């Protein structure tokens, strides 16, 4: 309704002009005249006034006409003759073919044999007193109200046609708003002829300004024509498929507006689907805030119709604090499983042992027999949804203790050899002494 009201207000001046120009029932064709009683006051209209002259050549015409011109606005300033009456009338937008009217306008009279009279035509938009007029000029001057042919009347329900785009009016719908009548022929509605640039095909039916002209002629040849504006307007707002959208994301997540509004659509009756890039946010989304944000999302179509929905969005920090623990030293020939690694952390008291579940993330298991240092993250879940995250390094080195752990028999061999030699030597000495 607000949209229609603004258009109507904008077109008020056009409407007033239309009413002033096309609703007049009189044509510009003079069909007769009526003498004005000298004591009467008369209404607006065209009048023929006889003015005094000193001779039959109307030598005083210009001076008298100027005097009357100062009293009434819009007078003829040239006397009527049989040769020029059409041109003089045409200069003020009038015409006539009535012989009595022509004779009245062009006659030079000498009623008292001392004065001659010529005729001037004036127009007044106000009522005026002929008696007061006679106080300024001799009262033997005559005044005649000019009578005009009545035009057929065209009546239309709306001087400006404002049409809702969605209702898809046809030219016939607009024509049906017109009727015509005449003082003699009565109903002339069926005789109205129309001219318009209003669209007649689906392809051409678009928002915009058009016109329609209605013309009708009565049996006397009098013609009336009116032209009105037609406006096809779009008053339907774009439609979202949601009224409120609530979204929750993990803090630090990489997001775009298209991601956030992925399930929201906006369809307009005229523009079709309106993309996210054309939506307006009452304020920017703060991706660094952990507070709930309430934002109005608005779309305005090409006809300046708007609609909106509410976005409630919050970012939550779901990552537990990261605890760094000592590195674990492993050898290339002694690979460990996930459970074994976790047990090592428990035994070294780097983590408590009352966890309910764990998740270990590392690339160590892909390179267990290769020397290198690997980052590891251990996520532990405890009772009451308590979560803790531990980070540590796994240092894989070459196993140098393998040879050192083997028994060293060389000292024993040397000792055995030396012992054997000693024993052999002692035995030999003893035997030698007994023999000798």
């Amino acid at each position: 309704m607000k949209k229609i009201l603004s258009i109507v207000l904008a077109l008020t001046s056009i409407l007033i002009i239309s009413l002033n120009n096309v609703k007049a029932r009189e044509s510009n064709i003079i069909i007769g005249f009526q003498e004005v009683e000298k004591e009467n006051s008369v209404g607006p209209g065209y009048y023929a006034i006889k003015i005094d002259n000193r001779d039959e050549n109307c030598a005083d015409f210009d001076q008298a006409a100027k005097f009357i011109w100062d009293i009434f606005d819009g007078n003829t300033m040239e006397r009527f003759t049989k040769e020029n009456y059409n041109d003089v009338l045409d200069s003020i937008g009038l015409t006539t073919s009535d012989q009595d009217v022509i004779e009245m306008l062009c006659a030079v009279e000498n009623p008292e044999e001392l004065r001659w009279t010529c005729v001037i035509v004036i127009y007044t938009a106000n009522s005026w007193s002929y008696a007061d007029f006679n106080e300024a000029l001799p009262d033997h001057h005559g005044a005649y109200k000019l009578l005009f042919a009545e035009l057929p009347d065209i009546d239309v329900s709306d001087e400006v046609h404002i049409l809702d785009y969605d209702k898809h009016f046809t030219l016939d719908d607009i024509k049906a708003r017109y009727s015509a009548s005449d003082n003699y022929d009565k109903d002339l509605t069926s005789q109205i002829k129309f001219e318009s640039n209003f669209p007649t095909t689906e392809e051409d039916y678009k928002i915009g300004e058009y016109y329609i002209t209605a013309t009708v002629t009565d049996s006397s040849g009098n013609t009336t024509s009116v032209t009105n504006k037609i406006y096809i307007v779009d008053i339907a707002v774009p439609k979202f498929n949601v009224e409120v959208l609530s979204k929750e994301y993990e803090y630090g997540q990489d997001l775009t507006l298209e991601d956030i509004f992925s399930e929201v659509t906006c369809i307009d009756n005229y523009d079709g689907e309106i993309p996210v890039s054309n939506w307006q946010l009452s304020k920017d989304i703060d991706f660094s805030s952990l507070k709930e944000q309430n934002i109005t999302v608005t779309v305005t179509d090409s006809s300046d119709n708007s609609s909106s929905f509410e976005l409630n969005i919050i970012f939550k920090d779901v990552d537990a604090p990261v605890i760094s623990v000592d590195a674990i030293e492993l050898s290339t020939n002694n690979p460990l499983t996930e459970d074994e690694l976790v047990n090592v952390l428990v035994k070294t008291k780097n983590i408590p042992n009352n966890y309910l579940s764990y998740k270990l993330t590392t690339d160590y298991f892909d390179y267990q027999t290769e020397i290198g240092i690997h980052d590891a993250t251990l996520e532990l879940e405890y009772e009451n949804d308590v979560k803790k995250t531990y980070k540590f390094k796994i240092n894989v080195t070459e196993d140098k203790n393998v040879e050192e752990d083997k028994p060293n028999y060389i000292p024993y061999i040397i000792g055995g050899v030396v012992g054997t030699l000693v024993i052999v030597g002692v035995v030999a000495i003893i035997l030698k002494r007994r023999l000798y």
Side-chain angles (χ1 to χ4, degrees), residues 191-209:
Q191 304 300 313
I192 301 177
K193 298 185 182 303
F194 293 94
E195 178 184 344
S196 178
N197 65 344
F198 188 78
T200 56
T201 66
E202 184 70 26
E203 182 181 12
D204 294 332
Y205 191 80
K206 300 182 185 302
I207 294 171
E209 176 185 328

Side-chain angles (χ1 to χ4, degrees), residues 105-310:
L105 294 175
C106 299
V108 177
E109 300 178 6
N110 182 11
E112 298 181 357
E113 297 183 357
L114 297 176
R115 290 286 181 179
W116 284 261
T117 58
C118 294
V119 176
I120 185 172
V121 171
I122 63 98
Y123 173 80
T124 177
N126 304 307
S127 298
W128 58 288
S129 169
Y130 188 41
D132 291 342
F133 177 71
N134 275 323
E135 291 182 3
L137 290 176
D139 59 7
H140 62 264
H141 284 55
Y144 302 86
K145 181 174 178 59
L146 300 182
L147 306 178
F148 293 84
E150 286 190 353
L151 292 175
D153 181 58
I154 295 179
D155 186 44
V156 57
S157 58
D158 296 300
E159 298 292 341
V160 178
H161 305 286
I162 301 175
L163 311 180
D164 183 354
Y165 170 81
D166 283 348
K167 293 186 177 179
H168 212 101
F169 287 84
T170 66
L171 185 57
D172 287 338
D173 293 329
I174 303 171
K175 289 179 179 179
R177 298 180 175 186
Y178 289 79
S179 62
S181 60
D182 182 66
N183 65 323
Y184 180 77
D185 298 315
K186 307 307 179 186
D187 187 17
L188 289 175
T189 301
S190 62
Q191 304 300 313
I192 301 177
K193 298 185 182 303
F194 293 94
E195 178 184 344
S196 178
N197 65 344
F198 188 78
T200 56
T201 66
E202 184 70 26
E203 182 181 12
D204 294 332
Y205 191 80
K206 300 182 185 302
I207 294 171
E209 176 185 328
Y210 306 91
Y211 76 89
I212 184 170
T213 298
T215 304
V216 68
T217 302
D218 66 15
S219 59
S220 300
N222 301 309
T223 299
T224 295
S225 181
V226 298
T227 297
N228 301 113
K229 298 284 189 181
I230 304 172
Y231 292 89
I232 299 178
V233 298
D234 172 24
I235 59 174
V237 300
K239 292 183 179 179
F240 288 102
N241 63 332
V242 296
E243 293 182 0
V244 177
L245 178 67
S246 297
K247 304 292 288 186
E248 182 177 307
Y249 295 100
E250 292 184 9
Y251 178 82
Q253 190 171 343
D254 188 16
L255 293 169
T256 65
L257 290 180
E258 285 74 13
D259 295 330
I260 296 172
F261 299 130
S262 59
E263 68 266 40
V264 183
T265 59
C266 182
I267 306 297
D268 183 65
N269 65 322
Y270 190 76
D271 298 331
E273 183 169 0
I274 301 178
V276 175
S277 57
N278 289 348
W279 300 3
Q280 297 86 40
L281 277 62
S282 58
K283 60 182 178 180
D284 292 336
I285 299 173
D286 186 355
F287 292 92
S288 64
S289 173
L290 296 179
K291 296 181 180 179
E292 182 176 358
Q293 302 175 61
N294 301 310
I295 299 171
T296 301
V297 182
T298 303
V299 163
T300 302
D301 65 16
S302 60
S303 300
D304 207 28
N305 302 306
S306 298
S307 63
S308 61
F309 72 91
E310 294 301 317

